[in-house]
């Protein structure tokens, strides 16, 4: 499963000692080909971690032979030394596996502003390489966890080909071009341009629309590697759908494991004048702390939805807005609608529908409620 | 004190029964002249409460004889009936006091999406009018409280003239053109144009830069009324400074009483290319939930500051950013700076300084930490 579901890939996950806890913290994913095509999308945060700066360069070549990922440290805001460390990490992987360092992508996650313990990371690469296996996908997925409570994997089976992937992420979970660390693999026989197109189309409507806490990471990385080992070249539409399905699945897993959350909130914006309007409104609703608290309290406080919509530049008339919570239209024409006591909010999933009555476009943004547990997790220690 | 510190004003605050708790919920402020000049700024939220829509019209005339304010209900998202209720409220004040309803401003605060109990509000106006007094400022300030734990008043004494004011606000506290309900009064002998200019200049750098939770109200209203009773017409610079001083004082009181907060955070952005850049960066830092949690935990987590700066469009180079927390430069040149253990965060006020190294402009945004108490206050009941 995970990144080793597709043929042509090996992976490993080990404890290199980067984390004080002794938990797994180093993952390696290797593409044995015959092809090493790859595409990647990275955070749009202008403060980018060293591994993002490195991997962006690597991906420009469209070829990735291996990906090394560590948890226990983001290697972000670490200056020239941090970049040297990323470079040394790629070189070490290249040396151990007999590859070109320029084809080794690097991803890191953990606390910002701390240098990685290279005396532990570099030897760990050899250990991980020795454990590479076609069944190593789960261990790799486990090794990239930080505050994640579960590891996240997903697989799509095509006709003779497969797309699989792993993801980590539980906080600092918001847009960018992508969200958190994700590695997707496929044995489909496709070139880098096709991978890039499929990946961008998929992330735009999946990871980009997961907005747990409005905080954009410095390290977000999503990679898609193709080995061609299936010798099958699927048609673009089906392949794109497969990538989107796996991204959607992993995105949902991120939301369900978001730090401290007790509710998964699906914000649907419908009848917008444009998709951009729908996304802007959805994100404004998803980021409204007061609303997120109300949902936590199982309070269908639609006034906070309207208040959030009102801060956007989307096309709408205040007296034509309609809002449903779990299917009950509690706000009609910008005013009091159906009885809010009809709204059943006992379950983990809550659906907020905002009808802008301004067009035919729509978008879905996923978010979480705001809880005392979120505050605790993010105030009790540095992460 | 409060709105009756300046000569020419009377005020009252009573319990009309709008709040189930029986606490004071109706305030009246009357300008006895000789002049009734006024200026106002209102929320920039596009979903505006009925009293905001009404008062915006009233203020266009530059004359306000009385202001009626209620807590216990925002009268926002209440459709045509809500607007009729606001109109009827102004008419009732006009009738009781012998004024023109077109010169009566109305302000409401409380839960969005609920009609006001007019059967209690309208009779309450007569009761309040009967209690109007030149010493009624404190009672008026108390009657406009919602989740506020204390009432907020401020006074500036000029040479023979005075500016005084009251404010309420503890949540849904963020920009707009203004923040929350504020009434300022002065006995300076100035016309509406001068009041308008002084008020806009003041709110831009005071209430507009208070951003407790990023949530913009539908009801934000700031009014400045001048009676001319001092017969003194101060020079504009001194008067503008007085208005700014009172607004700044009230803004600080709002921050110190923000829902659930345990820290007041002063975000100073310095060496920005423009003031707009400084404000954008300051607001991005002030709205970062992860950082707000870290400050709550007394954790000088500067990585979250850089991560917030990175999401803005301001001019800066990531490797030239510097960040100080309580005066300790924990981040230098985008990387690890002075020892974070030197940062003393035991006190309520925390100062974050972000140096963009891109120019000479600066701005200050005030915010609060994010706490379990905030979550509790905003999830335990509708507000």
């Amino acid at each position: 499963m995970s990144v080793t579901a597709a043929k042509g890939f090996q992976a490993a996950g080990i404890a290199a000692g980067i984390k004080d806890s002794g938990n797994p913290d180093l993952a390696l994913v290797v593409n044995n080909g015959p092809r090493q095509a790859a595409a990647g999308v990275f955070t749009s945060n202008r403060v980018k971690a060293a591994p993002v700066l490195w991997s962006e360069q690597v991906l420009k070549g469209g070829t990735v032979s291996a990906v090394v990922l560590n948890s226990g440290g983001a290697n972000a805001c670490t200056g020239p030394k941090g970049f040297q460390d990323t470079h040394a990490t790629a070189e070490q992987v290249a040396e151990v596996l007999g590859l070109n360092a320029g084809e080794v992508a690097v991803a890191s996650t953990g606390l910002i502003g701390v240098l990685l313990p290279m005396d532990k990371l570099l030897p760990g690469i050899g250990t991980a390489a020795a454990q590479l296996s076609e069944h190593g996908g789960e261990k790799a997925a486990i090794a990239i966890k930080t505050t994640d409570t579960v590891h996240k994997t997903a697989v799509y089976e095509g006709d003779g080909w497969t797309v699989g992937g792993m993801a980590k992420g539980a906080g600092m979970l918001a847009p960018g071009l992508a969200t958190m660390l994700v590695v997707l693999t496929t044995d489909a026989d496709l070139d880098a341009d096709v991978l890039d197109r499929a990946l961008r189309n998929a992330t735009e409507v999946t990871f980009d629309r997961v907005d747990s806490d409005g905080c954009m990471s410095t390290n977000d990385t999503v990679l898609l590697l193709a080995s061609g080992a299936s010798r099958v070249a699927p048609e673009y539409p089906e392949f794109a759908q497969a990538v989107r399905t796996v991204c959607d699945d992993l995105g949902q897993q991120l939301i369900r494991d978001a730090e401290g959350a007790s509710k998964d909130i699906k914000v649907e914006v419908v009848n917008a004048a444009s998709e951009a309007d729908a996304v802007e409104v959805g994100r404004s609703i998803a980021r409204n702390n007061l609303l997120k608290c109300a949902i936590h309290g199982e309070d269908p406080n639609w006034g906070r939805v309207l208040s959030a919509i009102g801060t956007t530049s989307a096309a709408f008339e205040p007296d034509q807005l309609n809002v449903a919570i779990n299917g009950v239209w509690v706000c009609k024409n910008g005013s009091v609608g159906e009885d809010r006591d009809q709204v059943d909010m006992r379950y983990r999933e809550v659906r907020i529908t905002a009808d802008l009555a301004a067009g035919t476009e729509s978008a879905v943004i996923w978010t979480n409620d705001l809880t005392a547990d979120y505050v605790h997790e993010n105030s009790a220690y540095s992460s």
Side-chain angles (χ1 to χ4, degrees), chain A:
Chain A
M1 302 297 282
S2 174
V3 288
T4 48
K7 286 189 282 287
F9 292 92
Q10 292 182 305
I14 64 149
I18 303 166
K19 288 180 180 165
D20 289 337
S21 64
N23 287 333
D25 49 23
L26 188 68
L28 200 54
V29 180
V30 177
N31 183 351
N32 293 313
R35 186 199 262 283
Q36 275 97 16
V41 286
F42 300 92
T43 184
S44 58
N45 196 312
R46 291 169 59 203
V47 174
K48 296 182 202 300
V52 168
L53 295 171
W54 171 267
S55 296
E56 278 182 336
Q57 291 304 314
V58 169
L59 266 295
K60 281 187 183 164
T63 302
V64 170
S65 308
V67 185
V68 56
L69 311 94
N70 73 275
S71 51
N75 198 7
C77 308
T78 43
K81 178 66 172 71
F83 193 80
Q84 286 164 23
D85 288 347
T86 289
H87 188 175
T89 302
E91 289 284 0
Q92 180 71 10
V93 171
E95 186 175 320
V96 167
L97 298 175
L99 305 170
N100 176 346
E103 296 174 7
V104 176
V106 181
S108 301
T109 179
L111 185 61
I112 297 173
V114 178
L115 288 164
L116 291 171
M118 297 303 287
D119 58 326
K120 290 171 178 158
L121 199 160
L122 291 180
I125 289 169
T127 309
Q131 297 187 21
L132 280 169
S133 151
E134 287 169 9
H135 306 289
E138 296 292 322
K139 283 193 176 169
I142 290 166
I144 58 175
K145 286 168 56 187
T146 54
T147 55
D148 306 67
T149 66
V150 294
H151 63 285
K152 290 108 180 170
T153 68
V155 174
Y156 177 98
E157 294 285 354
D159 186 11
W161 55 278
T162 297
V163 177
M166 65 179 183
K168 68 79 48 182
M172 205 177 265
L173 203 51
L177 272 175
T179 300
M180 315 316 299
L181 303 190
V182 179
V183 179
L184 308 175
T185 57
T186 181
D187 46 19
D189 195 15
L190 298 169
D191 66 25
D193 287 350
V194 176
L195 301 181
D196 187 68
R197 187 172 149 211
L199 185 61
R200 285 180 196 282
N201 284 340
T203 55
E204 257 176 33
V205 293
T206 55
F207 297 117
D208 266 6
R209 296 190 184 173
V210 166
D211 192 337
S212 176
D213 59 7
C215 297
M216 192 196 298
S217 164
T218 47
N219 288 54
D220 295 343
T221 299
V222 183
L223 302 175
L224 170 57
L225 316 182
S227 69
S230 71
R231 311 285 176 181
V232 178
E235 292 297 312
Y236 179 77
E238 192 191 349
F239 180 71
Q241 180 58 44
V243 174
R244 182 171 160 164
T245 300
V246 171
C247 288
D248 199 40
D249 188 338
L250 292 172
Q252 292 298 309
Q253 292 183 53
L254 294 178
I255 279 289
R256 287 201 294 275
D257 193 31
E259 287 170 349
S262 72
K263 301 283 187 193
D264 303 331
I265 308 170
K266 182 181 190 177
V267 181
E268 299 175 305
V269 181
V270 301
N271 298 323
S274 68
E275 189 177 351
D277 272 11
V279 170
E280 184 193 356
V281 168
R283 218 179 269 298
S284 178
I285 294 170
R287 290 186 174 181
N288 189 282
N289 278 354
L290 287 171
L291 176 66
K292 289 156 76 89
C293 287
I295 301 299
H296 177 53
E298 303 190 345
D299 169 14
N301 197 325
W302 61 267
R304 293 176 181 178
V305 178
L306 259 69
S307 157
I309 297 172
T311 64
T312 70
S313 63
F316 70 82
E317 292 300 326
D319 61 359
Q320 292 177 15
L321 294 171
N322 305 299
V323 174
I325 300 180
N326 283 349
V328 180
W329 290 94
V330 284
C331 170
K332 287 184 179 174
N333 296 319
S335 182
V336 189
E338 293 170 21
D339 184 1
R340 39 179 282 159
D341 291 343
Q342 290 177 28
V343 183
D344 182 354
M345 299 183 71
R346 288 172 299 172
Y347 302 101
R348 185 170 172 104
E349 186 171 321
V350 173
R351 206 168 76 254
I352 297 175
T353 312
D355 171 6
L356 302 188
T360 57
E361 298 297 318
S362 64
V364 170
I365 302 283
W366 281 92
T367 190
N368 296 104
D369 56 343
L370 181 57
T371 70
D373 287 347
Y374 176 89
V375 174
H376 178 72
E377 268 203 61
N378 289 296
S379 61
Y381 55 88
S382 275
S383 63

